[in-house]
Amino acid sequence: MRISLEHVTVRFPDRQAANKEVIAVDHVSLEIPAGKLVCLLGPSGCGKSTTLYAIAGLQPLDEGRIFFGENDVTTLDATKRGIGFVFQNYALYPHMNVRENISFPLRNAKWQRSAIQERVLEVARIVQIGNLLDRKPSQLSGGQQQRVAIARALAKNPPILLLDEPLSNLDAKLRHSTREEIRRIQKTTGITTIFVTHDQEEAMSISDEVIIMRDGHILQTGRPQGIYEEPRDLFVATFIGSPAMNILPGRLQEGELWYGEYSLGEVSLPEGVVWLGVRPEGLTPHPRGEVPTMGAIPASVIHVELLGREALYQLRLAGGDGVTMITAIDTLFREDEEIEVQLQMMKRYLFADVAQDAEQKLLLRF
Amino acid sequence: MSNAGFKQAIWYLLPALVVMAVFTYYPLGNAIVQSFNRNRSPDNYELSLKTYEYLINDRDFKVALRNTFLYTAVVTPVSIAISILIASMLVSIQRLRTFFQTIFFIPYVTSAVAVAFTWAFLFNTDRGLVNLFLGNLFHLPKIRWLTDPNVANYTVIIFGIWRSLAFNILILTTGMLSVDPQYYKAAQVDGASATTAFVRITLPLISPVIAYLFTIGMINAFKVFNEVYTLIGNLSRSVSAHTLVVYIFDAVWRARDYSLASAASVVLLLVVLVLTAFSRWVSSKTNFYG
């Protein structure tokens, strides 16, 4: 089912100052297409969880409207929205066993006893917990609790599934397999899913679409790869991607882009100070020759990490800035080696400086 | 514990142990010894089972025992049920919650004797507000709340329920507030009505608190004295509404029969011990978190 938000606004009373308010979600409008898995991504406090709770009906709105398909559900009680919700700490009822936890929403919906039994076994099979049905939540591992929470959310066949940081309580390995699991379940059931996370890698890996939020606003919406390649501004550019994009001070002068004393080629933009961004894989290393290469910046290798498939370098550029570089394993340099790096075509980004544009928007990718 | 640790700990525990030995364990042991005394006075000791023989044949003791059981059986569950209702309403209000909590807690900190005088006035046959109210509104005949041997029992029970509400409400409110609000959000999403959420989530989750209140409530109900003695002790010399502790009190201060009082105390102790063991067993069975 399609979900639309129109100018959704949520304010909280400020804890520090009485009579003041904090705007958690500020006139957010968005559209989530039916059957897709969409991530709400942003640093903590950006309003992503509040937005999710608002969609679930657990957070009243101060302004705006929410639609499920064509239906306006803005004032509909959470008990009647019929969505599935997976809480960050799972919120499994501790006094009920797994079977009772999963049947709870079905009993509330007045299902027949036999239908409930059948459905419990069915969702248990989907999330692969058929052997745990008689356990209490306290007898389950974190990953198993997580599956039970998903099973409970899926039990009543909801048109919408909401997940609030569902992987944050799992260890790294489990996080990896569980997110693929969630993706698999979402694909098999075709349920419209919103997934809240602060982990950009998580968001990139499983979602059809990513919505990046900050300070209660939506910064950018799009396919993960699209956002990675065309970040709207400096914040998104550094937030998306791991290791993060390298940011260097740049200068536009006489039709050329300069990093310190090194010219990086012709750019036809008005003169001024800019931020130059380049992702770790956008750097090409060369051995330092007698004659400096055109458009290359001298650098020294500070640290090398071999990651099996690739090598991760910490470099110090001639201008003094530290950068991260990822290369294939076949071109190896040693620590303390003096090299030079080139910035690859179309992997260079120019962002406005705060002086010209508070949002530090992307000016050019070249 | 290592020997040195024990030596150190014993010094810290000693003051409390001395106090308990002097004021609890010595009297307890003495009462058990005295209960087997053939004579009324402790100065004249003669070992026998005569007092217990007398006790189990004494009509007054049977009445007192029956009254105590009735009092406990009614006051404890009824008070807890009413307290659950009031506490659930208290936790559902946001504003003035502390204010109302205080209001409901005041009966607990006022002396039973002082309150009993007020209640004695309320239940006065001719001038009491209760009869006035019932007479004017429902045209009921005057009820001799405090002096009718068949009614006085229930007057004491009503008073006892009211008295025990305060503590129960306080503990239950705290218990209900300590339930993780996340469960209620989950219940909302799962389509549970407020009633369903209360019955299937709140009650099971606070069941350890309820079990605790049952234990404490039963023990306190068995030891009930102030409520009975101050409310009807002086008005009705008839023993029809007396409880175990009142019986013990009378055995000492009216009959001067220390042996009889000791034997009745031992019976009370045994009953309370059995009930406590039973309720502990029940609450260990109702542990939902296993």
Side-chain angles (χ1 to χ4, degrees):
Chain A
M1 193 183 281
R2 185 170 54 92
I3 305 168
S4 343
L5 272 61
E6 287 178 7
H7 301 288
V8 166
T9 302
V10 177
R11 301 188 188 92
F12 291 126
D14 194 332
R15 258 180 240 138
Q16 267 91 52
N19 306 324
K20 272 201 171 172
E21 284 180 328
V22 179
I23 302 181
V25 181
D26 193 357
H27 293 276
V28 162
S29 299
L30 58 88
E31 188 120 333
I32 288 153
K36 297 284 186 206
L37 196 161
V38 174
C39 270
L40 282 178
L41 173 65
S44 55
C46 73
K48 55 191 190 301
S49 284
T50 310
T51 308
L52 197 75
Y53 275 70
I55 295 171
L58 296 170
Q59 172 63 53
L61 306 187
D62 287 300
E63 279 173 53
R65 316 206 67 80
I66 297 175
F67 296 87
F68 290 174
E70 298 303 314
N71 299 328
D72 186 341
V73 296
T74 312
T75 53
L76 193 66
D77 199 73
T79 52
K80 302 205 169 65
R81 291 204 188 183
I83 46 117
F85 200 111
V86 176
F87 291 86
Q88 184 170 7
N89 56 3
Y90 317 135
L92 296 177
Y93 309 120
H95 54 294
M96 300 184 194
N97 65 25
V98 171
R99 188 191 306 276
E100 291 162 334
N101 262 287
I102 302 175
S103 346
F104 188 68
L106 303 177
R107 286 185 57 171
N108 292 328
K110 307 267 187 292
W111 281 38
Q112 295 283 334
R113 189 178 293 265
S114 56
I116 292 180
Q117 277 183 350
E118 223 169 277
R119 181 62 182 157
V120 167
L121 293 178
E122 197 180 329
V123 286
R125 200 171 50 241
I126 296 178
V127 300
Q128 295 160 3
I129 48 160
N131 52 335
L132 305 173
L133 288 177
D134 294 317
R135 299 243 193 119
K136 289 272 172 70
S138 58
Q139 298 166 318
L140 302 176
S141 71
Q144 289 169 333
Q145 291 187 29
Q146 224 270 350
R147 283 153 186 266
V148 176
I150 293 177
R152 185 177 67 183
L154 290 175
K156 60 191 168 191
N157 243 323
I160 294 166
L161 177 65
L162 308 177
L163 304 111
D164 184 18
E165 306 237 9
L167 307 179
S168 59
N169 289 341
L170 304 179
D171 61 61
K173 201 174 166 195
L174 207 51
R175 196 149 54 213
H176 223 85
S177 57
T178 313
R179 77 183 186 207
E180 276 151 30
E181 188 86 4
I182 289 173
R183 184 57 170 158
R184 178 182 67 78
I185 293 166
Q186 193 272 331
K187 279 230 167 99
T188 51
T189 55
I191 184 173
T192 310
T193 304
I194 306 182
F195 186 108
V196 160
T197 180
H198 63 266
D199 183 334
Q200 55 87 25
E201 196 193 331
E202 213 167 277
M204 299 288 286
S205 64
I206 67 168
S207 43
D208 294 310
E209 204 171 285
V210 176
I211 296 170
I212 298 177
M213 289 187 72
R214 188 174 66 157
D215 299 334
H217 293 278
I218 291 180
L219 291 184
Q220 193 169 2
T221 306
R223 287 180 308 103
Q225 195 60 32
I227 293 178
Y228 187 81
E229 285 169 8
E230 289 285 329
R232 173 188 169 272
D233 59 21
L234 191 62
F235 173 79
V236 175
T238 48
F239 189 68
I240 295 290
S242 174
M245 182 187 273
N246 299 302
I247 302 296
L248 304 168
R251 196 174 72 251
L252 292 163
Q253 212 170 349
E254 295 151 13
E256 275 183 273
L257 172 66
W258 296 84
Y259 166 70
E261 54 187 283
Y262 306 96
S263 168
L264 299 171
E266 290 182 7
V267 174
S268 51
L269 279 174
E271 295 203 346
V273 182
V274 290
W275 290 108
L276 166 64
V278 60
R279 295 210 178 270
E281 69 274 20
L283 293 167
T284 313
H286 298 289
R288 179 103 45 106
E290 296 289 309
V291 187
T293 321
M294 268 295 288
I297 305 168
S300 45
V301 179
I302 303 296
H303 186 68
V304 191
E305 267 176 61
L306 299 179
L307 303 173
R309 196 159 25 89
E310 57 204 15
L312 178 68
Y313 290 89
Q314 301 299 332
L315 307 177
R316 181 169 295 122
L317 297 184
D321 298 281
V323 294
T324 320
M325 174 177 75
I326 294 178
T327 64
I329 209 85
D330 47 4
T331 51
L332 261 186
F333 296 95
R334 282 169 291 102
E335 280 175 23
D336 297 330
E337 202 169 330
E338 298 293 325
I339 58 169
E340 48 185 36
V341 290
Q342 256 179 327
L343 283 60
Q344 296 166 20
M345 301 276 280
M346 290 314 285
K347 298 222 168 148
R348 296 169 293 182
Y349 300 87
L350 289 187
F351 300 97
D353 187 72
V354 192
Q356 305 143 29
D357 172 15
E359 292 188 47
Q360 300 180 289
K361 284 227 174 62
L362 178 66
L363 300 170
L364 183 67
R365 176 181 172 208
F366 68 110
Chain B
M1 194 194 290
S2 71
N3 202 27
F6 177 77
K7 270 184 187 162
Q8 199 176 13
I10 200 76
W11 287 107
Y12 288 104
L13 292 173
L14 205 55
L17 285 175
V18 167
V19 170
M20 282 176 67
V22 170
F23 291 103
T24 306
Y25 294 115
Y26 172 72
L28 176 66
N30 207 19
I32 292 171
V33 170
Q34 283 304 324
S35 71
F36 290 103
N37 189 358
R38 188 182 186 83
N39 303 306
R40 290 165 164 247
S41 158
D43 305 327
N44 194 355
Y45 193 83
E46 210 177 321
L47 184 71
S48 103
L49 284 171
K50 193 194 98 183
T51 318
Y52 284 102
E53 253 171 64
Y54 173 80
L55 199 63
I56 50 174
N57 290 315
D58 184 13
R59 209 192 127 267
D60 289 357
F61 179 73
K62 280 184 205 154
V63 170
L65 199 61
R66 194 198 57 129
N67 283 343
T68 310
F69 268 101
L70 179 74
Y71 180 88
T72 307
V74 177
V75 169
T76 315
V78 171
S79 167
I80 289 175
I82 297 174
S83 304
I84 288 175
L85 268 177
I86 295 177
S88 67
M89 289 191 266
L90 269 178
V91 295
S92 66
I93 55 171
Q94 297 295 321
R95 311 183 70 201
L96 296 177
R97 182 194 291 152
T98 322
F99 172 74
F100 281 110
Q101 258 177 319
T102 313
I103 296 259
F104 280 107
F105 194 61
I106 283 176
Y108 188 74
V109 289
T110 46
S111 127
V113 180
V115 178
F117 275 114
T118 315
W119 279 69
F121 168 69
L122 288 174
F123 280 119
N124 185 293
T125 311
D126 296 314
R127 289 163 290 129
L129 284 175
V130 176
N131 271 350
L132 218 63
F133 181 77
L134 292 175
N136 286 345
L137 227 65
F138 303 106
H139 305 289
L140 289 177
K142 282 186 176 166
I143 301 168
R144 290 177 29 243
W145 290 105
L146 303 171
T147 45
D148 184 336
N150 297 316
V151 179
N153 247 332
Y154 297 96
T155 313
V156 169
I157 285 176
I158 293 172
F159 182 55
I161 291 172
W162 179 82
R163 274 284 292 171
S164 56
L165 281 183
F167 179 72
N168 290 348
I169 291 171
L170 179 83
I171 301 294
L172 284 166
T173 318
T174 316
M176 287 179 190
L177 287 174
S178 68
V179 172
D180 188 340
Q182 198 84 320
Y183 296 133
Y184 297 121
K185 293 197 165 152
Q188 263 184 291
V189 169
D190 288 341
S193 65
T195 319
T196 309
F198 184 74
V199 173
R200 295 208 50 209
I201 292 170
T202 313
L203 283 185
L205 287 180
I206 61 163
S207 61
V209 175
I210 297 175
Y212 163 79
L213 288 182
F214 258 102
T215 310
I216 297 291
M218 281 198 298
I219 293 172
N220 281 337
F222 258 91
K223 297 193 298 185
V224 64
F225 172 75
N226 280 342
E227 281 79 353
V228 188
Y229 207 78
T230 46
L231 197 60
I232 58 163
N234 294 321
L235 289 168
S236 142
R237 268 331 324 168
S238 121
V239 295
S240 69
H242 281 185
T243 61
L244 266 182
V245 180
V246 180
Y247 181 89
I248 295 166
F249 184 87
D250 274 359
V252 175
W253 299 110
R254 307 191 130 241
R256 299 276 164 192
D257 190 336
Y258 292 100
S259 172
L260 184 63
S262 298
S265 303
V266 170
V267 171
L268 173 64
L269 176 72
L270 288 177
V271 171
V272 169
L273 274 181
V274 168
L275 278 177
T276 311
F278 174 73
S279 63
R280 281 193 71 109
W281 177 75
V282 169
S283 58
S284 75
K285 289 280 157 202
T286 51
N287 176 15
F288 285 109
Y289 302 93

